[in-house]
Amino acid sequence: MLRVGLGALLGAAAGVFAAAGWLLFTGGAGLAMTLLTVLGLIGIGAVGGGTAGYLWGKRTPPMLPHYREGHLRLRQMAQQIRANLQQMTGVKGAYPELDEILAKDADLRQKATRLRLQIERQARRGLSWQDHLSVALDALREGTLGSFRRSEWIWRAYRAKLERELNALGRKLDHNHDGHLENTLQRAYRQKARELASFRNLERTLQTLENESAMITTSVENLLMETIRLSAAPRSTAPRADALLEPLREQIKAYEQAIDEIYRVPQQDESETAWLRH
């Protein structure tokens, strides 16, 4: 509604400017005609702006194809839930919880899209053909060669490369007897450990985003099944729509908490660095 109101306001403002321009160039055409024209331009601008705001609010944000497919499916389920609730209650309600949960899911999938692309760009820049060959041989030994998607392949290759480089630096440190090289190796090791920890943190963040989106989908699916079951029952025995929507409110709260936790800067201490070395 906010986008609709803002769009209508901006459209009306555009109508005022259009009316002013018309008056400036034509000088008007009688009081009644001038008034009708001015009001018409303002009204057309307000309706056009409100419609644009409504369509903008309903658009699907840019996201990867498999995320978009899941989100559109969620929208279809939400529409069915609205129809079921209307059938149960006999009232066409607004049910803002459904709009909010759809917005949260779109936000999660958009964030996951940006993060996936960021991880893929970072990984691709650091890989050579030897790294791809190494992960292919590992996957062949494990019998999982044909089960990886392209992005997962790149991540696995990049993670394996960082781990190999970190372990190689660790071995050099363990066998180093040159005091002049000690500080250089220590700095290189700490830098590589930070790179690996940062990459793993990106992967954990992506997993959290996808898990939250999956939980939203599960909540909406459960609500859909419940409304389908109850819509066939007598209206007098059906619970209030407010009670049925409570799980969605809880999921919205869980989303806010998850987003807050995701973007806290992790504190990395010496013990974590030591664990990474092994």
Side-chain angles (χ1 to χ4, degrees), residues 13-276:
V16 170
F17 282 110
W22 178 78
L23 288 172
L24 181 65
F25 285 105
T26 64
L31 180 60
M33 181 60 69
T34 298
L35 186 60
L36 285 174
T37 302
V38 169
L39 291 177
L41 288 172
I42 294 173
I44 291 171
V47 171
T51 302
Y54 175 79
L55 294 175
W56 179 261
K58 291 294 183 182
R59 85 194 193 288
T60 303
M63 57 184 73
L64 290 172
H66 67 285
Y67 288 146
R68 180 183 298 275
E69 181 181 346
H71 182 68
L72 292 177
R73 177 173 169 268
L74 201 69
R75 288 193 176 207
Q76 291 172 354
M77 288 193 289
Q79 290 175 357
Q80 185 60 54
I81 289 170
R82 289 181 194 276
N84 293 344
L85 289 173
Q86 182 178 350
Q87 181 180 343
M88 289 164 51
T89 62
V91 178
K92 189 176 181 180
Y95 308 121
E97 294 87 353
L98 288 170
D99 292 327
E100 188 167 2
I101 205 73
L102 288 175
K104 301 302 185 191
D105 181 76
D107 183 58
L108 284 168
R109 293 176 190 269
Q110 195 174 18
K111 284 183 169 65
T113 293
R114 289 197 297 265
L115 191 53
R116 268 188 176 274
L117 295 176
Q118 176 188 342
I119 293 172
E120 192 169 332
R121 284 194 300 269
Q122 178 179 334
R124 191 184 291 112
R125 283 197 302 265
L127 291 175
S128 64
W129 68 267
Q130 293 97 331
D131 299 313
H132 287 287
L133 179 61
S134 176
V135 76
L137 292 174
D138 290 341
L140 186 61
R141 283 193 294 267
E142 297 168 4
T144 58
L145 187 59
S147 63
F148 287 106
R149 289 188 300 186
R150 183 174 63 92
S151 60
E152 292 172 351
W153 178 279
I154 292 172
W155 299 349
R156 175 169 175 166
Y158 187 63
R159 190 191 314 111
K161 176 185 179 179
L162 291 176
E163 290 170 350
R164 283 197 307 272
E165 291 175 346
L166 186 65
N167 290 333
L169 285 169
R171 287 192 295 270
K172 286 182 180 179
L173 270 172
D174 290 338
H175 296 92
N176 177 57
H177 301 293
D178 187 343
H180 296 291
L181 284 177
E182 184 72 19
N183 288 337
T184 301
L185 288 172
Q186 289 272 4
R187 285 195 299 270
Y189 180 83
R190 285 195 293 268
Q191 176 62 31
K192 190 59 64 177
R194 283 193 293 269
E195 286 182 32
L196 180 56
S198 174
F199 187 74
R200 285 176 171 167
N201 186 57
L202 289 176
E203 290 186 306
R204 284 193 298 269
T205 299
L206 177 61
Q207 188 62 55
T208 301
L209 290 170
E210 292 182 338
N211 288 345
E212 285 298 316
S213 183
M215 285 190 284
I216 285 176
T217 300
T218 300
S219 295
V220 174
E221 286 175 342
N222 291 340
L223 179 58
L224 177 60
M225 292 300 103
E226 186 68 5
T227 58
I228 289 173
R229 184 182 68 84
L230 292 171
S231 60
R235 187 174 296 178
S236 59
T237 62
R240 294 173 57 239
D242 188 66
L244 287 171
L245 293 169
E246 182 59 31
L248 292 189
R249 298 190 197 97
E250 294 298 325
Q251 193 61 56
I252 290 168
K253 292 178 184 176
Y255 159 88
E256 299 291 352
Q257 182 179 356
I259 291 298
D260 181 61
E261 291 175 356
I262 281 172
Y263 291 103
R264 287 178 188 166
V265 178
Q267 298 298 318
Q268 191 176 26
D269 54 21
E270 288 297 324
S271 62
E272 184 178 357
T273 304
W275 177 80
L276 284 169

